[in-house]
Amino acid sequence: MATLLVLLLVLPAAGLVALYAAPAGQAARIGALVGVLVFLLSLVLLPLFDYDRAGQLQGQLDRSWVPAFDLRFHLGIDGISLPLLLLTTLLTALCLLYAVRTTTRDESGRTFTALVLLLEIGMVGTFVSLDLLLFFLFFEIVLLPMYGLIHHWGTGERRRAANKFILYTLLGSALMLLGFLLIHAKTGTFDMVELGRLHGAGMTASVQGAAFLLVGLGFAVKTPMWPLHTWLPDAHTSAPTVGSVLLAGVLLKMGTYGFIRIGAGMLPQGAHQYAFALGAFGTVGIVYGAFACMAQVRRGGDLKRLIAYSSVGHMGFVLLGIATLTRVGIDGALFASVAHGLITGLLFFLAGGFKERLGTTDLYTLGRGLYERARRYGALVAFAAMASLGLPGLAGFWGELYALVGAARPAAGLTSAGFHVLMAAAGVGMVLTATYLLLVVRRLCMGAAAGPNGGSRYEPLRDLTPRELISWTPLAGLTLVAGLWPAVILALADPAVHQLLGGAR
Amino acid sequence: VNFFALLTIALPALGCAITLLGARDARHVRFWSVAPVAAALLSSLVVQVAHGTGGTSTSVTELAPAGQFTIWLGTRVTGLSALVGILVTAVALCVQVFSLTYMRHEKRYPTYAALISLFTAAMLLVVYSADLVVLLVGWEIMGACSYFLIGHYWERADARSGSIKAFLVTKAGDVPFLFGIAALGVRAGSFRIDDVLHSVAVSGLSYAPFIAVLLLCGVVGKSAQFPLHTWLPDAMAGPTPISALIHAATMVAAGVYVVALLYPVFLLAPGVLTAMAVIAAVTMTGSAIAAFAQTDIKKVLAYSTVSQLAYMLGGLAVGGRSAAVFHLITHGAFKALLFLAAGVIIHRVGSNELSAMGGLRHRMPIVYRTMTVGLAALVGVPLLSGWFSKEAVLGAAYDARGQLAAAGWIVLVSGLATVGLTAAYATRLWLKVFWGPFPDASPDDHRIEAPQTELVPLIVLAVPAALLGFVAFGGGAFGSWIGDSFGNAVPATAGADLRPAGVTSLLAFLLTALGAGLVWNLWRRDPAGDPAAVLGRWRETALYAFYLDDVQDLIVVQPAKMLARAVGFLDTEVVDGYVRGAGIGARGLGGLLRRVQNGNIQLYLTALFAGVIVIAAAMIIFVGHSAGQVR
């Protein structure tokens, strides 16, 4: 299995080389091929993974890399990282497939594909690395291609958005690195397996608190946690479709993964000190994000910006789940992370489809009556909206449920009453979330498309194309599967979370 | 038993999927929308027969492992769920058959039929589920199906707003309901209904009133009780068969069903039961008055549904669980009948308005006869089903003692008043639709009876609407049939006696005669007029249901809109502003931002990135070194 993990990193790298060896016109196809291959390869992990030991880190490879920095090339996966890893390879493959037709057949297209592959290396690496420094390295690798994607292939105020994105995340990363160094200073190791086993031993509560604050700020920017979220709407509004999908689908999860693995797993006392604040900020994000979304349902409101704000709300649930520091809460956070990747990925694809067809994502210029103008497209929009508002039976529900159950009885020592208040606020947020999504569906899908004299009042719209079906139906299908049978993710995650929390509760 | 229960849920779900797959072929759609539901009806009958009056049988498998809070997929069959399961599948089948011709010319019939099948499956999931969270799944899927079906005519503004309103108002109840279930699960240590009830029985329940209130919120939303009832009248924008299925016999019944299911939790909180009685009292009288003033036939029935559901909740509030469930079953039969009949009338007349109807008894004799049975059952004409079940509820209220005595009085008084009001609005409806002169708009005088597929369900439903009540003569038989609230079997001798008796029956009969007589008298004087005119200047108030929509708009919708605008402003101008502001304030970051504006940023960022790495490296060497020394 260790070989496989290395291959998952090497294959995109090999793809990069192939990209520049082949003519530029072939770039998009090579990219798609590599993306699919990496995904298939990651699927091979499923039969190899030992489900009875889902809580253990498996397939470990541990080599010293730069001894001077105490940097080790240490890889491995457990039930927490495996679902996120598969989500990453799936979304990247779908993005690359989707991009085959939109990518230009010139040097620019080649660079675009190359950036996506580079992004994949960083994302995969983040989820499989078991050395804090290596983790940091991959975490940082991700920034550059995403910056490039927004900066060169974006629309609107793309430069400003890209700069904001990178400034925010780089500053966050700097703090995170300081946190890692502090951990190293006190424990003498960057080894995440060892740190997880120590579960905070060797660090006093105040050291853990300081380390959690530093590390947490880095992750909070990435997640993003209110009020550090303002880079996200701009970045999403400007980013090209593929960028938005990967940004929302995977990049945000790197933040929550960090919170879970490093925050809750290695700095338990630090996490404990800041848990309520984390939950409170997350909950504010839920309500605040929902209101911000409602504000977008107006003339001149932007669909992509709306979806971005909805991410702030959904990640708020993830943060709330983590903040409870309970097994069920973190299970929920992980589930919600994966679900959000699927659902918001789908939503951004749909928004991208609008952009491609009508050249805009302005909610009011898109026109109404999508159910009539493009039946399947409209149905898929409604489906994605239902999933996003957390309809039980679809993936969005279980994460929210478990986060709330966690908040109903947070970990020992946390303020129960406080978390109940957060719970109530999150409940209000759920209703508001349903509100804006239904308003969007009403605005886009419902309403008469025909004008008074029989003609269509709005521009005609092409229904789903085969290419879109190929890259979008897996997301819709998995949303349904994960919603109907949540055990597909939880059976993996639950034992690992149990292990992560030191086997307690 | 559990296999067949699972089959009953799975069949309509399968039907939904298959209907959608071949949506272009009308015959395919017709077959796959009716056959699975018919099979589900048979299967639910098997469940009932196999279960008999046994206690509870449960069978589960792990759905979502999460430590202590593992969620289980499986079925739990009790007498109560077996019986309600039959009601659901029977009404659903009638509606699907009815829709065969009723919706024939609709181009969106396939989606419609598939959603009804999905809806049926979701309701059955609520009924048979062994786990509270899975119950919640069905509960909310119903809400979503209802949303889509109300919004069926999405070209129309009233359907659009009605659908959203239905979803959001019920969701506002569902969220506390979810909290209630979460709290119940946390307290009991499991989400399995058996475990929860067992834990309640053995060790009581801490915070029981709190949990009961949370659950009640969901019930109030789903069963359209004051103050969350406002969605149901607006939901009439959907096709009429939908109203029969969802807004009469099943979805709104789910709320009542859940109270009956988790009844021990509510019994631990008598205060909450009293609150429930107050809600029921306000709802039943208020909506009966509103029903009297409505001009739209479907809205009359909608408010009537709200009012009748309040009877059921009232029955539960006074400890009359069997009585409430009895009324749930009879109401399901006669209200489905009434809605379907109203659908036929609306199609033939071409309008929802009562003013466009009149004198239809000769032109639609079968509809006339069946609807008369339905209305008579609704009013509580002696020996029809509604009479028995309503008497059972009133009897339970009369017999309420101890902690429930206050609730008993509240329900008894409002219940008796509503009996009179019900007689009044039902008589008005009956007279306006079937008697009196034809309106000028429809001069042709032939029979305009509906096709057979629409009439057969009417006749089929008329039978239980008329006869179901005789179950009450079994005394405790019905109570024994549905079992007790813990899911244990009850011997027939120990079941609650549902036979109508005593002073309540007499009073109710007198009030019925009074209500119907008054309206009859008004109508006799002016057959073309509207008896609702007797309300005078209060008529407007009743027509708009006491302006509760406006109140809701004022205290919920407008503030939410304002907050949204405020946040929209806040985010761009303030929260983002502090970033820019901080940049201007601090020179270093200010310089950075100027470079951002210059667009000459790449170099700088590269430098920053490299800088971070170099600092990191330096610190690692330094720190790592010193750490090594310490070791």
Side-chain angles (χ1 to χ4, degrees):
Chain A
M1 200 189 311
T3 330
L4 208 56
L5 294 180
V6 177
L7 268 179
L8 286 177
L9 293 169
V10 170
L11 198 58
L16 276 175
V17 175
L19 223 51
Y20 284 95
Q26 296 297 317
R29 293 212 185 119
I30 295 174
L33 182 71
V34 173
V36 171
L37 279 179
V38 174
F39 174 58
L40 293 177
L41 204 61
S42 66
L43 283 183
V44 179
L45 286 172
L46 284 175
L48 292 180
F49 193 79
D50 181 354
Y51 295 92
D52 295 331
R53 297 193 309 121
Q56 309 297 320
L57 286 154
Q58 302 180 19
Q60 286 192 36
L61 172 85
D62 193 1
R63 297 269 185 283
S64 182
W65 193 4
V66 187
F69 292 176
D70 197 11
L71 171 60
R72 301 185 68 81
F73 194 76
H74 187 177
L75 308 179
I77 50 169
D78 66 357
I80 295 177
S81 42
L82 182 58
L84 291 167
L85 178 63
L86 291 175
L87 176 74
T88 305
T89 55
L90 170 70
L91 280 175
T92 317
L94 296 181
C95 280
L96 284 164
L97 275 174
Y98 178 78
V100 166
R101 272 215 23 221
T102 46
T103 310
T104 49
R105 296 175 176 274
D106 55 6
E107 201 50 48
S108 152
R110 173 140 73 185
T111 318
F112 181 87
T113 314
L115 286 180
V116 176
L117 287 178
L118 187 60
L119 198 58
E120 178 162 35
I121 298 177
M123 297 185 299
V124 169
T126 306
F127 293 128
V128 299
S129 51
L130 289 180
D131 183 279
L132 284 181
L133 218 49
L134 190 66
F135 174 86
F136 178 75
L137 210 63
F138 283 120
F139 202 86
E140 294 300 285
I141 285 181
V142 169
L143 298 183
L144 296 174
M146 186 50 79
Y147 170 77
L149 286 178
I150 299 173
H151 195 270
H152 291 284
W153 284 271
T155 50
E157 293 197 44
R158 56 200 164 97
R159 283 169 216 277
R160 223 178 86 87
N163 289 335
K164 206 167 168 184
F165 161 73
I166 198 125
L167 270 180
Y168 254 110
T169 38
L170 262 187
L171 290 174
S173 304
L175 295 175
M176 183 171 88
L177 183 60
L178 286 178
F180 288 172
L181 295 175
L182 184 58
I183 295 174
H184 188 269
K186 293 297 170 186
T187 59
T189 180
F190 281 128
D191 185 1
M192 291 165 73
V193 182
E194 173 67 10
L195 285 167
R197 197 184 57 72
L198 288 174
H199 197 54
M203 285 180 277
T204 61
S206 56
V207 168
Q208 286 193 35
F212 184 83
L213 196 62
L214 288 168
V215 176
L217 275 172
F219 294 138
V221 167
K222 197 81 168 184
T223 300
M225 180 183 83
W226 184 90
L228 303 174
H229 67 277
T230 55
W231 62 270
L232 185 78
D234 288 350
H236 270 310
T237 314
S238 300
T241 302
V242 168
S244 287
V245 171
L246 291 176
L247 183 57
V250 184
L251 261 64
L252 306 189
K253 309 308 171 309
M254 292 165 42
T256 57
Y257 174 73
F259 265 122
I260 294 173
R261 173 80 78 200
I262 296 166
M266 300 174 192
L267 304 164
Q269 287 174 313
H272 201 277
Q273 288 165 36
Y274 291 100
F276 184 71
L278 188 67
F281 280 122
T283 310
V284 171
I286 297 172
V287 177
Y288 185 93
F291 275 126
C293 284
M294 281 169 74
Q296 287 298 318
V297 189
R298 58 171 159 82
R299 195 161 294 283
D302 187 277
L303 182 60
K304 289 181 85 173
R305 184 171 281 272
L306 184 144
I307 303 171
Y309 276 120
S310 86
S311 293
V312 177
H314 287 128
M315 298 325 273
F317 270 104
V318 175
L319 290 176
L320 179 62
I322 296 171
T324 66
L325 296 177
T326 55
R327 182 172 173 183
V328 63
I330 294 180
D331 279 351
L334 266 174
F335 195 95
S337 292
V338 176
H340 177 263
L342 297 171
I343 297 166
T344 308
L346 180 60
L347 279 170
F348 273 120
F349 268 133
L350 287 163
F354 280 125
K355 183 105 192 166
E356 204 180 302
R357 286 168 169 78
L358 302 170
T360 178
T361 47
D362 181 311
L363 266 172
Y364 273 64
T365 37
L366 287 175
R368 317 190 65 156
L370 199 60
Y371 283 152
E372 194 172 325
R373 288 154 82 203
R375 202 162 54 95
R376 284 158 210 245
Y377 206 105
L380 200 56
V381 170
F383 175 83
M386 280 290 154
S388 186
L389 68 78
L391 185 76
L394 298 176
F397 169 68
W398 300 100
E400 293 183 6
L401 173 82
Y402 277 159
L404 290 172
V405 171
R409 185 180 273 181
L414 293 178
T415 158
S416 251
F419 271 95
H420 289 169
V421 171
L422 297 185
M423 210 174 150
V428 173
M430 287 171 90
V431 179
L432 293 172
T433 304
T435 310
Y436 71 74
L437 283 163
L438 292 185
L439 289 177
V440 168
V441 170
R442 175 165 79 173
R443 181 63 225 174
L444 290 178
C445 298
M446 297 172 143
N453 39 18
S456 183
R457 199 182 300 178
Y458 305 103
E459 278 185 63
L461 204 68
R462 196 170 67 245
D463 211 336
L464 294 179
T465 62
R467 172 179 62 108
E468 288 168 342
L469 274 176
I470 290 173
S471 39
W472 299 356
T473 36
L475 294 179
L478 284 173
T479 303
L480 192 62
V481 170
L484 291 177
W485 201 255
V488 291
I489 296 168
L490 285 173
L492 284 170
D494 185 52
V497 170
H498 187 59
Q499 183 73 24
L500 178 95
L501 291 174
R505 288 192 78 158
Chain B
V1 175
N2 294 99
F3 169 75
F4 279 102
L6 199 61
L7 190 68
T8 316
I9 303 171
L11 280 168
L14 190 74
C16 165
I18 298 180
T19 308
L20 279 179
L21 282 179
R24 304 223 162 234
D25 179 5
R27 275 178 55 200
H28 167 97
V29 172
R30 284 201 292 271
F31 178 78
W32 284 106
S33 60
V34 174
V37 180
L41 174 61
L42 288 180
S43 171
S44 70
L45 287 169
V46 173
V47 170
Q48 174 69 71
V49 170
H51 183 265
T53 54
T56 308
S57 39
T58 312
S59 132
V60 291
T61 172
E62 199 170 83
L63 177 65
Q68 178 192 4
F69 299 108
T70 295
I71 288 166
W72 301 85
L73 182 70
T75 54
R76 173 181 184 269
V77 178
T78 61
L80 175 68
S81 60
L83 194 61
V84 177
I86 294 175
L87 172 75
V88 172
T89 46
V91 174
L93 181 62
C94 286
V95 167
Q96 285 283 27
V97 171
F98 184 86
S99 303
L100 286 178
T101 54
Y102 194 83
M103 301 295 285
R104 189 174 40 195
H105 302 298
E106 299 272 344
K107 66 179 170 191
R108 295 198 282 272
Y109 172 62
T111 330
Y112 162 92
L115 280 170
I116 291 194
S117 295
L118 180 61
F119 175 88
T120 311
M123 179 70 192
L124 289 166
L125 195 60
V126 169
V127 172
Y128 289 129
S129 170
D131 188 291
L132 286 174
V133 173
V134 178
L135 181 149
L136 183 72
V137 172
W139 178 272
E140 291 216 30
I141 291 178
M142 274 199 296
C145 287
S146 171
Y147 158 79
F148 283 114
L149 289 167
I150 296 166
H152 181 79
Y153 302 113
W154 36 255
E155 295 91 346
R156 292 183 0 211
D158 64 333
R160 290 199 291 272
S161 55
S163 62
I164 292 191
K165 188 173 175 185
F167 194 92
L168 293 184
V169 173
T170 49
K171 183 87 185 173
D174 288 355
V175 168
F177 187 70
L178 188 154
F179 290 170
I181 286 183
L184 210 52
V186 168
R187 296 287 148 207
S190 162
F191 286 116
R192 282 177 57 180
I193 294 171
D194 286 335
D195 295 347
V196 168
L197 292 180
H198 179 72
S199 142
V200 169
V202 171
S203 53
L205 188 66
S206 45
Y207 302 107
F210 184 62
I211 292 173
V213 164
L214 289 173
L215 293 174
L216 184 62
C217 288
V219 170
V220 163
K222 212 64 160 186
S223 285
Q225 299 295 294
F226 174 83
L228 296 182
H229 65 283
T230 50
W231 66 270
L232 185 61
D234 287 12
M236 295 300 127
T240 311
I242 295 307
S243 308
L245 175 68
I246 301 184
H247 308 128
T250 55
M251 184 170 99
V252 291
V256 177
Y257 173 79
V258 163
V259 180
L261 184 73
L262 296 175
Y263 205 47
V265 176
F266 287 90
L267 281 180
L268 287 177
V272 177
L273 284 179
T274 310
M276 195 150 100
V278 173
I279 290 173
V282 172
T283 312
M284 69 172 83
T285 42
S287 54
I289 294 171
F292 187 67
Q294 297 305 308
T295 58
D296 177 327
I297 182 170
K298 284 179 73 180
K299 292 215 167 164
V300 176
L301 294 176
Y303 278 109
S304 155
T305 304
V306 174
S307 174
Q308 295 298 310
L309 287 163
Y311 267 108
M312 300 169 209
L313 270 192
L316 289 165
V318 298
R321 180 170 173 269
S322 316
V325 174
F326 187 28
H327 196 54
L328 172 75
I329 304 282
T330 58
H331 175 261
F334 68 72
K335 193 49 71 66
L337 162 67
L338 287 174
F339 265 112
L340 291 181
V344 175
I345 294 168
I346 289 167
H347 250 197
R348 302 296 136 186
V349 174
S351 167
N352 282 11
E353 291 297 312
L354 286 176
S355 54
M357 297 163 192
L360 290 175
R361 67 185 187 282
H362 297 305
R363 307 169 78 190
M364 315 172 88
I366 296 181
V367 175
Y368 168 62
R369 277 170 217 155
T370 50
M371 195 155 178
T372 303
V373 171
L375 284 172
L378 168 66
V379 169
V381 171
L383 299 183
L384 290 177
S385 65
W387 181 67
F388 285 100
S389 56
K390 210 179 282 182
E391 290 306 321
V393 170
L394 292 175
Y398 186 74
D399 291 335
R401 292 288 177 273
Q403 285 179 309
L404 299 179
W409 276 108
I410 295 168
V411 172
L412 186 63
V413 172
S414 60
L416 284 171
T418 309
V419 165
L421 290 168
T422 308
Y425 73 71
T427 311
R428 168 178 174 257
L429 183 72
W430 189 61
L431 292 170
K432 288 298 291 173
V433 172
F434 294 110
W435 297 80
F438 299 140
D440 303 334
S442 49
D444 51 334
D445 179 24
H446 5 89
R447 283 173 60 147
I448 45 175
E449 200 72 272
Q452 265 185 2
T453 43
E454 293 176 27
L455 293 179
V456 169
L458 292 187
I459 297 164
V460 168
L461 283 168
V463 176
L467 303 179
L468 212 52
F470 290 100
V471 173
F473 282 125
F478 188 79
S480 156
W481 199 359
I482 64 170
D484 79 353
S485 49
F486 288 101
N488 301 320
V490 179
T493 45
D497 193 345
L498 298 179
R499 272 175 294 202
V503 67
T504 52
S505 297
L506 188 67
L507 275 174
F509 181 74
L510 289 175
L511 285 164
T512 307
L514 184 70
L518 270 175
V519 172
W520 171 263
N521 222 1
L522 285 167
W523 177 80
R524 269 239 326 247
R525 275 187 239 154
D526 177 18
D530 190 337
V534 73
L535 291 175
R537 63 197 181 90
W538 294 104
R539 186 177 176 187
E540 192 92 330
T541 315
L543 179 62
Y544 293 110
F546 310 101
Y547 302 107
L548 280 174
D549 276 335
D550 299 314
V551 174
Q552 190 175 291
D553 186 66
L554 195 69
I555 63 172
V556 180
V557 179
Q558 293 306 331
K561 279 186 181 167
M562 266 168 54
L563 273 171
R565 275 196 296 273
V567 167
F569 171 79
L570 198 70
D571 201 63
T572 46
E573 302 304 325
V574 183
V575 180
D576 201 25
Y578 74 73
V579 181
R580 286 174 296 196
I584 295 156
R587 269 190 69 188
L589 200 56
L592 193 69
L593 281 174
R594 269 199 295 284
R595 284 172 182 278
V596 173
Q597 253 91 47
N598 292 343
N600 192 7
I601 188 75
Q602 270 127 322
L603 187 69
Y604 190 86
L605 285 173
T606 317
L608 180 65
F609 189 68
V612 169
I613 300 285
V614 169
I615 296 169
M619 285 192 68
I620 293 161
I621 294 167
F622 172 70
V623 175
H625 196 62
S626 58
Q629 279 174 337
V630 171
R631 257 184 307 188

